mmCIF file of all heavy atoms in Angstrom:
data_model
loop_
_atom_site.group_PDB
_atom_site.id
_atom_site.type_symbol
_atom_site.label_atom_id
_atom_site.label_comp_id
_atom_site.label_asym_id
_atom_site.label_seq_id
_atom_site.Cartn_x
_atom_site.Cartn_y
_atom_site.Cartn_z
ATOM 1 N N TYR A 129 -19.402 -13.310 13.141
ATOM 2 C CA TYR A 129 -18.356 -12.439 12.576
ATOM 3 C C TYR A 129 -18.911 -11.466 11.557
ATOM 4 O O TYR A 129 -18.524 -10.303 11.481
ATOM 5 C CB TYR A 129 -17.270 -13.297 11.959
ATOM 6 C CG TYR A 129 -16.046 -12.557 11.478
ATOM 7 C CD1 TYR A 129 -14.979 -12.246 12.324
ATOM 8 C CD2 TYR A 129 -15.942 -12.171 10.128
ATOM 9 C CE1 TYR A 129 -13.858 -11.564 11.847
ATOM 10 C CE2 TYR A 129 -14.822 -11.482 9.653
ATOM 11 C CZ TYR A 129 -13.780 -11.191 10.529
ATOM 12 O OH TYR A 129 -12.687 -10.534 10.055
ATOM 13 N N GLU A 130 -19.847 -11.940 10.762
ATOM 14 C CA GLU A 130 -20.434 -11.081 9.694
ATOM 15 C C GLU A 130 -21.100 -9.857 10.283
ATOM 16 O O GLU A 130 -20.970 -8.753 9.771
ATOM 17 C CB GLU A 130 -21.436 -11.901 8.887
ATOM 18 C CG GLU A 130 -22.092 -11.123 7.790
ATOM 19 C CD GLU A 130 -23.263 -11.876 7.152
ATOM 20 O OE1 GLU A 130 -23.743 -12.858 7.768
ATOM 21 O OE2 GLU A 130 -23.678 -11.472 6.065
ATOM 22 N N LYS A 131 -21.845 -10.042 11.385
ATOM 23 C CA LYS A 131 -22.591 -8.913 11.983
ATOM 24 C C LYS A 131 -21.643 -7.942 12.696
ATOM 25 O O LYS A 131 -21.833 -6.740 12.666
ATOM 26 C CB LYS A 131 -23.635 -9.419 12.939
ATOM 27 C CG LYS A 131 -24.769 -10.226 12.234
ATOM 28 C CD LYS A 131 -25.804 -10.685 13.257
ATOM 29 C CE LYS A 131 -26.915 -11.459 12.606
ATOM 30 N NZ LYS A 131 -27.932 -11.947 13.562
ATOM 31 N N VAL A 132 -20.639 -8.492 13.374
ATOM 32 C CA VAL A 132 -19.702 -7.636 14.104
ATOM 33 C C VAL A 132 -18.904 -6.789 13.139
ATOM 34 O O VAL A 132 -18.739 -5.551 13.342
ATOM 35 C CB VAL A 132 -18.750 -8.483 14.985
ATOM 36 C CG1 VAL A 132 -17.677 -7.623 15.611
ATOM 37 C CG2 VAL A 132 -19.559 -9.185 16.066
ATOM 38 N N MET A 133 -18.372 -7.374 12.083
ATOM 39 C CA MET A 133 -17.511 -6.671 11.149
ATOM 40 C C MET A 133 -18.258 -6.017 10.001
ATOM 41 O O MET A 133 -17.674 -5.207 9.266
ATOM 42 C CB MET A 133 -16.478 -7.660 10.605
ATOM 43 C CG MET A 133 -15.610 -8.294 11.657
ATOM 44 S SD MET A 133 -14.569 -7.114 12.509
ATOM 45 C CE MET A 133 -13.288 -6.926 11.290
ATOM 46 N N ASN A 134 -19.529 -6.383 9.826
ATOM 47 C CA ASN A 134 -20.320 -5.820 8.740
ATOM 48 C C ASN A 134 -19.619 -6.011 7.385
ATOM 49 O O ASN A 134 -19.414 -5.069 6.614
ATOM 50 C CB ASN A 134 -20.606 -4.332 9.001
ATOM 51 C CG ASN A 134 -21.671 -3.779 8.036
ATOM 52 O OD1 ASN A 134 -22.508 -4.553 7.520
ATOM 53 N ND2 ASN A 134 -21.663 -2.496 7.813
ATOM 54 N N VAL A 135 -19.229 -7.264 7.113
ATOM 55 C CA VAL A 135 -18.513 -7.562 5.879
ATOM 56 C C VAL A 135 -19.446 -7.448 4.705
ATOM 57 O O VAL A 135 -20.677 -7.554 4.811
ATOM 58 C CB VAL A 135 -17.924 -8.980 5.939
ATOM 59 C CG1 VAL A 135 -16.897 -9.097 7.061
ATOM 60 C CG2 VAL A 135 -19.000 -10.045 6.094
ATOM 61 N N THR A 136 -18.892 -7.202 3.524
ATOM 62 C CA THR A 136 -19.674 -7.018 2.283
ATOM 63 C C THR A 136 -19.715 -8.380 1.563
ATOM 64 O O THR A 136 -18.659 -8.851 1.051
ATOM 65 C CB THR A 136 -19.048 -5.966 1.369
ATOM 66 O OG1 THR A 136 -18.951 -4.749 2.122
ATOM 67 C CG2 THR A 136 -19.908 -5.739 0.143
ATOM 68 N N LEU A 137 -20.859 -8.997 1.504
ATOM 69 C CA LEU A 137 -21.039 -10.279 0.866
ATOM 70 C C LEU A 137 -21.270 -10.077 -0.633
ATOM 71 O O LEU A 137 -22.231 -9.399 -1.026
ATOM 72 C CB LEU A 137 -22.181 -11.028 1.491
ATOM 73 C CG LEU A 137 -22.281 -12.551 1.229
ATOM 74 C CD1 LEU A 137 -21.071 -13.247 1.850
ATOM 75 C CD2 LEU A 137 -23.559 -13.125 1.836
ATOM 76 N N LEU A 138 -20.417 -10.639 -1.465
ATOM 77 C CA LEU A 138 -20.527 -10.467 -2.917
ATOM 78 C C LEU A 138 -21.268 -11.637 -3.578
ATOM 79 O O LEU A 138 -22.032 -11.420 -4.534
ATOM 80 C CB LEU A 138 -19.116 -10.358 -3.542
ATOM 81 C CG LEU A 138 -18.245 -9.195 -3.016
ATOM 82 C CD1 LEU A 138 -16.881 -9.223 -3.686
ATOM 83 C CD2 LEU A 138 -18.918 -7.855 -3.246
ATOM 84 N N GLU A 139 -21.053 -12.828 -3.084
ATOM 85 C CA GLU A 139 -21.721 -14.037 -3.639
ATOM 86 C C GLU A 139 -22.047 -14.987 -2.501
ATOM 87 O O GLU A 139 -21.371 -14.995 -1.481
ATOM 88 C CB GLU A 139 -20.822 -14.759 -4.642
ATOM 89 C CG GLU A 139 -20.461 -14.005 -5.906
ATOM 90 C CD GLU A 139 -19.581 -14.821 -6.828
ATOM 91 O OE1 GLU A 139 -19.601 -16.087 -6.719
ATOM 92 O OE2 GLU A 139 -18.853 -14.254 -7.655
ATOM 93 N N GLY A 140 -23.115 -15.742 -2.703
ATOM 94 C CA GLY A 140 -23.438 -16.797 -1.773
ATOM 95 C C GLY A 140 -23.925 -16.281 -0.443
ATOM 96 O O GLY A 140 -24.650 -15.319 -0.326
ATOM 97 N N ARG A 141 -23.507 -16.932 0.632
ATOM 98 C CA ARG A 141 -23.982 -16.644 1.975
ATOM 99 C C ARG A 141 -22.845 -16.722 2.964
ATOM 100 O O ARG A 141 -21.710 -17.099 2.633
ATOM 101 C CB ARG A 141 -25.056 -17.672 2.381
ATOM 102 C CG ARG A 141 -24.554 -19.115 2.392
ATOM 103 C CD ARG A 141 -25.577 -20.082 2.981
ATOM 104 N NE ARG A 141 -25.114 -21.458 2.910
ATOM 105 C CZ ARG A 141 -24.299 -22.037 3.788
ATOM 106 N NH1 ARG A 141 -23.854 -21.314 4.827
ATOM 107 N NH2 ARG A 141 -23.931 -23.312 3.678
ATOM 108 N N TRP A 142 -23.161 -16.356 4.220
ATOM 109 C CA TRP A 142 -22.202 -16.489 5.330
ATOM 110 C C TRP A 142 -22.419 -17.831 5.980
ATOM 111 O O TRP A 142 -23.353 -18.578 5.701
ATOM 112 C CB TRP A 142 -22.357 -15.323 6.307
ATOM 113 C CG TRP A 142 -21.275 -15.302 7.331
ATOM 114 C CD1 TRP A 142 -21.356 -15.639 8.639
ATOM 115 C CD2 TRP A 142 -19.910 -14.909 7.117
ATOM 116 N NE1 TRP A 142 -20.137 -15.467 9.262
ATOM 117 C CE2 TRP A 142 -19.218 -15.026 8.341
ATOM 118 C CE3 TRP A 142 -19.201 -14.439 6.005
ATOM 119 C CZ2 TRP A 142 -17.898 -14.744 8.497
ATOM 120 C CZ3 TRP A 142 -17.862 -14.154 6.188
ATOM 121 C CH2 TRP A 142 -17.220 -14.286 7.400
ATOM 122 N N PHE A 143 -21.536 -18.148 6.930
ATOM 123 C CA PHE A 143 -21.628 -19.430 7.659
ATOM 124 C C PHE A 143 -22.927 -19.502 8.442
ATOM 125 O O PHE A 143 -23.436 -18.512 8.952
ATOM 126 C CB PHE A 143 -20.462 -19.602 8.625
ATOM 127 C CG PHE A 143 -19.112 -19.789 7.923
ATOM 128 C CD1 PHE A 143 -18.076 -18.919 8.146
ATOM 129 C CD2 PHE A 143 -18.917 -20.842 7.032
ATOM 130 C CE1 PHE A 143 -16.837 -19.092 7.527
ATOM 131 C CE2 PHE A 143 -17.698 -21.019 6.415
ATOM 132 C CZ PHE A 143 -16.669 -20.162 6.662
ATOM 133 N N ASN A 144 -23.432 -20.722 8.629
ATOM 134 C CA ASN A 144 -24.545 -20.995 9.525
ATOM 135 C C ASN A 144 -24.438 -22.418 10.046
ATOM 136 O O ASN A 144 -23.459 -23.096 9.760
ATOM 137 C CB ASN A 144 -25.898 -20.752 8.795
ATOM 138 C CG ASN A 144 -26.069 -21.569 7.527
ATOM 139 O OD1 ASN A 144 -25.652 -22.745 7.495
ATOM 140 N ND2 ASN A 144 -26.624 -20.961 6.512
ATOM 141 N N LYS A 145 -25.413 -22.860 10.804
ATOM 142 C CA LYS A 145 -25.361 -24.173 11.462
ATOM 143 C C LYS A 145 -25.363 -25.330 10.430
ATOM 144 O O LYS A 145 -24.963 -26.462 10.764
ATOM 145 C CB LYS A 145 -26.513 -24.338 12.424
ATOM 146 C CG LYS A 145 -26.429 -23.376 13.605
ATOM 147 C CD LYS A 145 -27.606 -23.565 14.556
ATOM 148 C CE LYS A 145 -27.479 -22.617 15.753
ATOM 149 N NZ LYS A 145 -28.606 -22.796 16.716
ATOM 150 N N GLU A 146 -25.821 -25.066 9.213
ATOM 151 C CA GLU A 146 -25.823 -26.120 8.189
ATOM 152 C C GLU A 146 -24.442 -26.567 7.780
ATOM 153 O O GLU A 146 -24.278 -27.608 7.213
ATOM 154 C CB GLU A 146 -26.594 -25.599 6.956
ATOM 155 C CG GLU A 146 -28.043 -25.263 7.236
ATOM 156 C CD GLU A 146 -28.713 -24.708 5.983
ATOM 157 O OE1 GLU A 146 -28.040 -24.639 4.928
ATOM 158 O OE2 GLU A 146 -29.906 -24.313 6.060
ATOM 159 N N ASP A 147 -23.434 -25.705 8.089
ATOM 160 C CA ASP A 147 -22.081 -26.012 7.662
ATOM 161 C C ASP A 147 -21.352 -27.031 8.580
ATOM 162 O O ASP A 147 -20.263 -27.440 8.295
ATOM 163 C CB ASP A 147 -21.243 -24.732 7.641
ATOM 164 C CG ASP A 147 -21.811 -23.712 6.634
ATOM 165 O OD1 ASP A 147 -22.094 -24.101 5.502
ATOM 166 O OD2 ASP A 147 -21.992 -22.541 7.012
ATOM 167 N N VAL A 148 -22.054 -27.405 9.684
ATOM 168 C CA VAL A 148 -21.420 -28.353 10.614
ATOM 169 C C VAL A 148 -21.254 -29.706 9.961
ATOM 170 O O VAL A 148 -20.216 -30.361 10.061
ATOM 171 C CB VAL A 148 -22.266 -28.451 11.901
ATOM 172 C CG1 VAL A 148 -21.674 -29.493 12.844
ATOM 173 C CG2 VAL A 148 -22.364 -27.094 12.583
#
Side-chain angles (χ1 to χ4, degrees):
Y129 186 86
E130 179 190 18
K131 295 181 180 179
V132 173
M133 302 294 282
N134 192 23
V135 297
T136 304
L137 197 63
L138 302 178
E139 295 181 23
R141 60 172 177 83
W142 190 254
F143 291 122
N144 56 39
K145 294 181 179 180
E146 298 177 3
D147 299 312
V148 177

